Amino acid sequence: MRNTLIALICMALMLLSGRPAGADLFWKPADADAIQLPPANPSLVNRQRAVRIDWHAFAAVPNAEIRLNLFPDVVLTAVCVGIEDGPGNRRIWHGRAAGETQGPIHLVVDREQIATTISLPGVTYKVRPMAENWHVVREIQAAGAGPPLWAAAATDDERSVWTLTNQERMEHNLPGLSLNGDLVASARAHSADMADLNYFNHSSQDGRSPGDRIADAGYEAWSWGENIAAGYATPQAVVDGWMNSAGHRANILNDGYCDIGVGYAYGESSAYGHYWTQNFGRQAGVSTCPAASDDSGEGGSDEGGQEDTGGGADDDGGANDDGGANDGGGANDDGGANDGGGDSGGGCFIDGLRPLSHR
């Protein structure tokens, strides 16, 4: 019913605007050149531009087309396959590229924000939200052409989320995070617990907070943070979803963290199916983060990294708490889970998406 309503609204907007389906999704107002773009790593980001979304061109009916005019010389046509909807206004638009490029395309949509990652041979394009409904479109070199990425000794999905998270940080001139075995254990256990017991919250059913779980796993945190998500079927989709939310994005791009753990679990009979947890931290006594590496103790190799010079030992992680501004009808709940007491603190953010098959 909800998908039908979305489709009817989109069709009505197109008719009222006189614009056909397949019109350009992005447009560049006259003042776009005056918009301050986020910092970018020139060794990774070839170019970027500020755009707004033309929602009249957002076609949400099966087989309808969207023109993704990423840059004046890069225009893709995407054909709608279906939509998954979740709490509040959050949904994922699933489609495929038409023509010679082909391949799947997904758009994570939340209110007036869109995030997507589109990989083509030798290059990747990303769309990320900025303030006041502006978006940045970036053209990024293929992974092999930029600084070395780090191998993770985790499951394939967890390793992919770690790699994608560090790519986001590197694009913003931030050092990569080391994979820490204790944080992997706490993150994986929480994802498994949510999947097994069919709940979705930062607080465990036994009453433990993220800080409690991180400490129980053996990580002595000076500061910590946590992102959780549910319903996203792939690593790229969940990272796009987190990057489409100010609170989650703040955790991922926090220069005070040194380490990360990623945990994934699937519960066939659970409400959301796929459950993801990211735990971030800086250990007590660490003033400067070492080069990013795999410290999970599960094998794997250190394939290089960058020295972390950002953030001090007095960073209590409180900057990740934006006082509920990310709470949009249950889709992003950051209230009450933030721990700023003692020497440790953290920001906790929820992101949920309910698959259509479970509605």
Side-chain angles (χ1 to χ4, degrees), residues 45-57:
V45 181
N46 294 331
R47 53 180 171 166
Q48 59 180 352
R49 70 174 183 142
V51 299
R52 288 194 180 274
I53 305 297
D54 183 354
W55 291 103
H56 300 305

Side-chain angles (χ1 to χ4, degrees), residues 87-137:
N89 297 311
R90 182 171 291 264
R91 56 193 186 275
I92 291 186
W93 184 99
H94 291 288
R96 55 179 175 79
E100 297 180 358
T101 53
Q102 297 190 355
I105 292 178
H106 65 263
L107 307 174
V108 179
V109 183
D110 187 0
R111 303 177 191 85
E112 297 181 352
Q113 296 183 165
I114 283 181
T116 187
T117 300
I118 301 172
S119 297
L120 300 177
V123 69
T124 296
Y125 295 93
K126 293 187 177 182
V127 179
R128 297 290 186 254
M130 298 193 299
E132 298 179 354
N133 295 328
W134 285 94
H135 288 70
V136 59
V137 180

Side-chain angles (χ1 to χ4, degrees), residues 8-21:
L8 290 174
I9 291 173
C10 291
M11 290 177 66
L13 287 172
M14 286 181 223
L15 290 172
L16 289 172
S17 66
R19 302 192 58 178

Side-chain angles (χ1 to χ4, degrees), residues 172-183:
H172 288 78
N173 280 322
L174 294 171
L177 300 171
S178 294
L179 188 72
N180 179 276
D182 295 334
L183 293 182

Side-chain angles (χ1 to χ4, degrees), residues 43-44 120-124 140-150 163 167 170 303:
S43 65
L44 279 178
L120 300 177
V123 69
T124 296
I140 300 165
Q141 297 179 21
L149 302 177
W150 303 281
T163 299
Q167 285 177 348
M170 287 191 296
E303 297 186 357

